[in-house]
Amino acid sequence: MTQLQQGETMQLQGSERDFPAGWFQIGWSHELARGDVRPLRFFGEDLVLCRYESGDVGLFDAYCPHMNANIGFGGRTVGERLACPYHGWQFDRSGCNTHIPYSSRVSVSKGLRSWHVVELGGSVILAWYGPDGTAPSFDPPGTDELPGMGESTFCPVGPDTSRRYAELPMHIDFVTENTVDMSHFKFVHETPEIGSILQLDPVDHRFHVRFSMPMKLYGPDGGGEVVDAVTEVTNWGLGLILARFTDGASLIQAQTPVDGNRCDVMMTMVLPRNASGSEVPTGEQLARFKMACRQVENDMVIWTHRRAGSQAHLVAEEIAPFKTFMKWKRQFYSAQPAAGSQTQRALRSESEVGS
């Protein structure tokens, strides 16, 4: 037996209380009808998500500045404004107070913090988180990365092609590390052999990985055959992992911090319609999505019982890809996020009436 050579010790995760900057999924479009107001909790913050009469989406800090009611519970939309359920104060899209039902005045200095939020193809809802409260430093993925999403030639994303694993006790970085960890596939996902990385391409906020791996393709009955497959995935920051397939399908694996100790993991499959043109995915297509979820569930057994923030001892075969990944990922973490530094309130001009 060859003696194990000296490896390298590496810190894989930062502080468990730090959240990386980036775009993160907070839900799906099909969950939020016009007029809906929903409470959320992400990034250690209570938030409120709403859909206005126009169909646009808004995301705000949850607590009304008047008397600190959580607007996510009982709040409503009034046209393009969000109304508090306690005293009816209304806030516009920027979070400014625009109406107090029992007063001729509005509050100039107090409003709701408005978050940057986008909808991808009328399917997936993303929010931007910046540890220092800055505006987005890069765009969310678009049609080049997720072709077909929301188009008539593709199945609508719905309950059958989306799945949430809520409040998992794990560090967000565990998920993205998997894209450079070839050896875990054999032991966690039972691939016949350990795969090999063909390409690592970190560019700005994207980390593209191309690898070769023997994989089992499952059919509707649960059976399947092993084939040699080349897989390409792109980490879009640390919140999204995008995979595209040769038949036009796409898979989004999203991981979003709930607080310093828990994450939501969300899976979304974007599928082209079959020859009949039906918007309902076929049994084979749904089996493919279930297979992807099954593999992530295998990972979750490890992620939710793994210690974060500890040193990892890597052997020679692992060092180069992990070093490349670690160097790329540092850009999303601030050196020392200041408590409350991201709290910015919407303000009106001094010329407006206020108190």
Side-chain angles (χ1 to χ4, degrees):
M1 178 182 294
T2 304
Q3 185 175 3
L4 181 66
Q5 298 298 311
Q6 180 66 34
E8 181 165 328
T9 300
M10 191 178 298
Q11 185 83 20
L12 296 184
Q13 294 85 42
S15 166
E16 292 185 58
R17 295 294 177 181
D18 291 348
F19 304 127
W23 290 101
F24 296 88
Q25 184 176 351
I26 58 171
W28 289 275
S29 301
H30 68 263
E31 296 178 320
L32 194 71
R34 277 182 170 81
D36 280 355
V37 175
R38 300 282 181 88
L40 299 177
R41 184 168 178 80
F42 289 113
F43 317 109
E45 303 271 4
D46 289 318
L47 306 172
V48 54
L49 179 69
C50 68
R51 190 181 294 280
Y52 300 110
E53 185 178 328
S54 65
D56 292 341
V57 172
L59 182 68
F60 302 90
D61 282 357
Y63 294 103
C64 180
H66 176 217
M67 293 182 68
N68 300 302
N70 189 320
I71 300 175
F73 295 90
R76 62 190 180 92
T77 58
V78 181
E80 303 301 296
R81 291 176 292 180
L82 178 64
C84 177
Y86 198 10
H87 295 90
W89 283 35
Q90 294 181 15
F91 304 88
D92 66 15
R93 291 183 181 220
S94 67
C96 292
N97 175 230
T98 58
H99 179 61
I100 300 174
Y102 46 87
S103 175
S104 61
R105 303 166 68 86
V106 296
S107 176
V108 173
S109 61
K110 299 296 183 181
L112 298 174
R113 177 176 49 152
S114 175
W115 293 61
H116 294 275
V117 61
V118 298
E119 251 181 322
L120 300 183
S123 303
V124 171
I125 304 174
L126 305 181
W128 170 265
Y129 174 81
D132 55 1
T134 56
S137 58
F138 59 91
D139 292 332
T143 54
D144 288 344
E145 294 77 32
L146 296 167
M149 178 178 280
E151 295 181 4
S152 60
T153 54
F154 279 68
C155 301
V157 171
D160 290 338
T161 52
S162 59
R163 187 173 299 184
R164 182 195 303 265
Y165 302 91
E167 299 188 354
L168 301 174
M170 53 175 271
H171 195 288
I172 183 175
D173 290 357
F174 292 164
V175 184
T176 47
E177 285 172 11
N178 266 16
T179 57
V180 296
D181 185 2
M182 295 297 104
S183 58
H184 93 281
F185 283 97
K186 179 175 175 61
F187 304 99
V188 178
H189 304 295
E190 300 180 341
T191 59
E193 302 293 338
I194 293 174
S196 57
I197 293 176
L198 304 177
Q199 178 187 5
L200 288 180
D201 189 15
V203 179
D204 298 326
H205 58 276
R206 294 159 292 171
F207 192 99
H208 184 74
V209 184
R210 184 170 177 263
F211 60 90
S212 175
M213 182 78 63
M215 293 188 177
K216 187 173 184 179
L217 299 180
Y218 291 88
D221 60 355
E225 60 176 333
V226 176
V227 299
D228 289 326
V230 173
T231 300
E232 298 191 35
V233 299
T234 300
N235 293 292
W236 200 272
L238 297 178
L240 302 168
I241 301 175
L242 315 176
R244 290 175 56 181
F245 305 98
T246 55
D247 67 347
S250 302
L251 179 69
I252 306 171
Q253 183 176 321
Q255 45 281 340
T256 305
V258 174
D259 53 32
N261 302 305
R262 299 174 298 167
C263 288
D264 279 7
V265 172
M266 288 167 266
M267 303 285 289
T268 306
M269 196 83 179
V270 183
L271 296 165
R273 299 195 186 202
N274 57 39
S276 70
S278 172
E279 67 177 27
V280 179
T282 65
E284 184 176 354
Q285 287 177 315
L286 292 178
R288 184 179 184 181
F289 179 57
K290 290 176 182 177
M291 177 195 72
C293 293
R294 184 185 310 171
Q295 298 304 325
V296 171
E297 289 163 7
N298 289 348
D299 285 314
M300 289 175 188
V301 177
I302 306 297
W303 294 337
T304 57
H305 296 88
R306 184 180 165 193
R307 184 169 57 184
S310 299
Q311 299 285 341
H313 184 78
L314 305 179
V315 297
E317 293 83 354
E318 299 169 309
I319 292 172
F322 270 94
K323 266 193 169 180
T324 303
F325 175 80
M326 293 297 295
K327 182 179 179 181
W328 170 81
K329 118 178 166 174
R330 289 190 194 106
Q331 66 182 297
F332 305 107
Y333 284 97
S334 63
Q336 285 187 324
S341 63
Q342 71 272 28
T343 305
Q344 299 175 348
R345 302 296 177 184
L347 300 178
R348 290 184 161 274
S349 69
E350 294 298 327
S351 62
E352 295 188 64
V353 178
S355 56

